[in-house]
Amino acid sequence: MFGALRAWQTEPMSAIRGARERARIEVTAAIKDEARKQLAAEGAAKLSLRAVARELGMVSSALYRYFPSRDDLLTALIVDAYDAVGEAAERSHRAATGAAGAPGTGLARWVAVACAVRDWALAHPHEYALIYGSPVPGYTAPQDTVGPAARVGMVLIAIVEDAHRDEGLALPPLPDELRPEAERLAADIAPGLAPAVAAPLVAAWAQLFGLVSFEVFGQFNRVVEAREVFFRQAVTELARTVGLLGRRG
Amino acid sequence: MFGALRAWQTEPMSAIRGARERARIEVTAAIKDEARKQLAAEGAAKLSLRAVARELGMVSSALYRYFPSRDDLLTALIVDAYDAVGEAAERSHRAATGAAGAPGTGLARWVAVACAVRDWALAHPHEYALIYGSPVPGYTAPQDTVGPAARVGMVLIAIVEDAHRDEGLALPPLPDELRPEAERLAADIAPGLAPAVAAPLVAAWAQLFGLVSFEVFGQFNRVVEAREVFFRQAVTELARTVGLLGRRG
DNA sequence: GTCTATAACGAGATAGAC
DNA sequence: GTCTATCTCGTTATAGAC
């Protein structure tokens, strides 16, 4: 039964049957913590099971009881990182949804979630780089990562869906060349979402992370100084492209 | 005189005085080519002077005649990459400017430059990752990179400046909180550019690379299929945020 | 002056015998 | 799990060819 669980999965408290399992969870967490330290110091490409083991006072072969390979450890770190941004986004979304029903709520939620993503990224730049930066050479993400990777996007979809239902959206018409792709996209990511919303939403998703990446990766050095106010304004304008803000002009 | 030139700088043809200099240029190019191969195979973090030398049939210490350190070789690759995207952007800008005077030219130039950046990135994903992806651990970019790094941005500024002068721009008002930053930004990057344009322009710059990065780094896998038409539409909408497209709705 | 080659350093990874 | 012998790396000093 338990053998079927992947080594890196965090088991729910109810699954803890005794000291054995608890120790396993603690060691797994210690390995990931140490690996994250090395991620910050040396980068994902140089993540080495041996170095992690050495730092923990273990022998490298012992690590293989917890992570069958270096790539599995990397996958665990990637899943954790996606889950961490995803949870930050979901939490800020819940907080911003508190006073529901008020007009303009869609925009407020959008900005809140964007800021949560940015805050998390600035607080965890190396984990951010792991998931939204350059791909790690020789590593290909397994299927396990796609669910966690989608969490932030799901929050954005929910915001726009709610606003679409409750507030109505002001959107530019969908160009003909994009119609087939937009329809496929909508059916794929959120059945029931209007194609004219789906395409701009995916674009806005990428653009949001463009803003965050430029700041985290240093492209704004000596360019943008008042970064938070700049970011808030940029994502507010970005919200316009998904219909969350009335169009002026 | 020539001694003041950094080893990795490509000297103009007029500076070639004889076989010596020609050989030096050729060896320098060979080193960079081999380094680029390793960049693709192993990533920037694992770029190794010794491996480059081995592959070229040289001894590692000989490389120090051309690049004083590993970081200098990295810097050369980074500068080359920035220059390559920058030149692609400038070339496509010139091409799109060919039939001047026609209305809507600003938007056409904007889309052309964006597509040129995307094309270059898709053709050179590893060099793109080097400059717009995760920072290389332990490496800090010297001042030499800031000029080349600004080239694409300069093209975008030129497009918006021209359009501002020739076509007029339709822009949302500048919020008060952003005014000081926008004024500083405008004075910094393009004296004479209206602050209400400068801030959205820098944001659009980051968002453009967000779209490109998501595609190059695989975030659109299993999400966006018709990527070129999607990209064109997204950057067209993006042009709206810098006033290059009349506002509808 | 300009280049390449040899040798070495200290540090770290790696493979295998035990 | 431990130890060791053998790799890698960036970098420097030095000697000698052109």
Side-chain angles (χ1 to χ4, degrees):
Chain A
M1 280 293 166
F2 288 104
L5 285 172
R6 304 289 172 82
W8 46 264
Q9 283 183 327
T10 304
E11 302 171 26
M13 291 304 264
S14 64
I16 301 181
R17 291 272 185 272
R20 257 246 174 61
E21 284 85 6
R22 189 175 295 115
R24 182 172 185 82
I25 290 170
E26 275 169 20
V27 174
T28 304
I31 293 171
K32 291 200 289 192
D33 282 348
E34 179 55 38
R36 269 185 281 264
K37 273 186 207 161
Q38 298 202 7
L39 215 61
E42 300 282 353
K46 282 189 179 167
L47 178 65
S48 134
L49 280 186
R50 284 185 106 95
V52 172
R54 190 184 329 117
E55 218 62 29
L56 290 173
M58 302 171 73
V59 91
S60 63
S61 56
L63 278 201
Y64 286 87
R65 295 178 52 84
Y66 297 87
F67 297 93
S69 76
R70 190 200 85 126
D71 281 9
D72 288 280
L73 175 54
L74 249 186
T75 299
L77 298 177
I78 289 171
V79 168
D80 281 3
Y82 275 130
D83 277 332
V85 234
E87 212 196 298
E90 287 161 12
R91 184 175 19 241
S92 77
H93 182 218
R94 279 194 301 273
T97 313
T105 296
L107 176 62
R109 288 189 207 176
W110 177 272
V111 174
V113 168
C115 287
V117 168
R118 172 176 174 268
D119 289 344
W120 183 88
L122 291 174
H124 306 86
H126 303 101
E127 290 167 72
Y128 180 85
L130 181 65
I131 53 181
Y132 291 110
S134 327
V136 182
Y139 171 85
T140 45
Q143 207 62 24
D144 312 62
T145 61
V146 312
R151 285 177 67 171
V152 171
M154 291 299 164
V155 175
L156 299 180
I157 290 171
I159 293 171
V160 173
E161 272 184 327
D162 287 357
H164 190 37
R165 176 170 25 79
D166 301 340
E167 307 168 26
L169 293 180
L171 273 172
L174 185 65
D176 283 343
E177 325 88 81
L178 195 60
R179 176 162 294 278
E181 173 68 9
E183 281 169 354
R184 195 200 50 73
L185 211 49
D188 226 50
I189 62 176
L193 191 67
V197 191
L201 182 53
V202 172
W205 171 58
Q207 289 169 8
L208 162 61
F209 281 95
L211 290 164
V212 175
S213 291
F214 260 35
E215 182 169 353
V216 174
F217 295 161
Q219 224 84 30
F220 281 162
N221 289 350
R222 296 163 203 283
V223 180
V224 181
E225 300 281 349
R227 298 189 184 159
E228 177 163 358
V229 63
F230 175 85
F231 180 81
R232 293 186 76 92
Q233 174 60 19
V235 295
T236 300
E237 267 305 309
L238 196 52
R240 192 193 297 277
T241 69
V242 294
L244 283 177
L245 192 58
R247 287 164 178 281
R248 289 171 275 189
Chain B
M1 280 292 166
F2 288 108
L5 287 171
R6 302 291 171 80
W8 46 262
Q9 282 183 326
T10 303
E11 301 170 30
M13 291 304 262
S14 64
I16 301 183
R17 293 269 185 272
R20 261 259 169 56
E21 289 89 307
R22 190 177 292 111
R24 181 172 184 83
I25 290 171
E26 273 169 21
V27 174
T28 305
I31 293 170
K32 292 199 290 192
D33 281 349
E34 180 55 38
R36 270 185 281 263
K37 274 185 204 161
Q38 297 200 11
L39 213 63
E42 301 281 353
K46 285 190 178 166
L47 208 210
S48 142
L49 277 190
R50 284 189 115 105
V52 171
R54 196 182 319 123
E55 217 63 29
L56 290 174
M58 303 172 74
V59 87
S60 65
S61 57
L63 282 202
Y64 285 82
R65 287 277 153 195
Y66 300 87
F67 299 94
S69 75
R70 192 200 86 125
D71 281 8
D72 288 278
L73 175 53
L74 249 186
T75 299
L77 298 177
I78 288 171
V79 168
D80 281 2
Y82 275 129
D83 277 333
V85 232
E87 211 195 298
E90 287 160 13
R91 186 177 14 243
S92 77
H93 182 219
R94 278 194 301 273
T97 312
T105 297
L107 176 62
R109 288 189 207 174
W110 178 271
V111 174
V113 168
C115 287
V117 168
R118 171 176 175 268
D119 288 345
W120 183 88
L122 290 174
H124 307 88
H126 303 102
E127 289 166 75
Y128 179 85
L130 182 64
I131 52 181
Y132 292 109
S134 326
V136 181
Y139 172 86
T140 45
Q143 207 62 24
D144 312 60
T145 61
V146 313
R151 286 176 68 170
V152 171
M154 290 301 163
V155 175
L156 299 180
I157 290 171
I159 292 170
V160 172
E161 274 183 328
D162 287 357
H164 190 37
R165 175 170 27 80
D166 301 341
E167 307 169 26
L169 291 179
L171 273 172
L174 185 64
D176 283 342
E177 323 90 80
L178 195 59
R179 175 163 295 277
E181 173 69 8
E183 280 169 356
R184 196 200 49 75
L185 210 49
D188 226 50
I189 63 176
L193 191 66
V197 191
L201 181 54
V202 172
W205 171 58
Q207 289 169 8
L208 161 61
F209 282 94
L211 290 163
V212 175
S213 290
F214 261 35
E215 182 169 352
V216 173
F217 295 162
Q219 223 86 28
F220 281 163
N221 288 350
R222 295 163 204 283
V223 180
V224 181
E225 301 280 350
R227 297 189 185 159
E228 176 163 359
V229 62
F230 175 86
F231 180 81
R232 293 186 76 92
Q233 173 60 19
V235 295
T236 301
E237 267 304 310
L238 196 52
R240 189 192 300 277
T241 69
V242 293
L244 284 176
L245 192 57
R247 287 164 176 279
R248 290 172 276 190

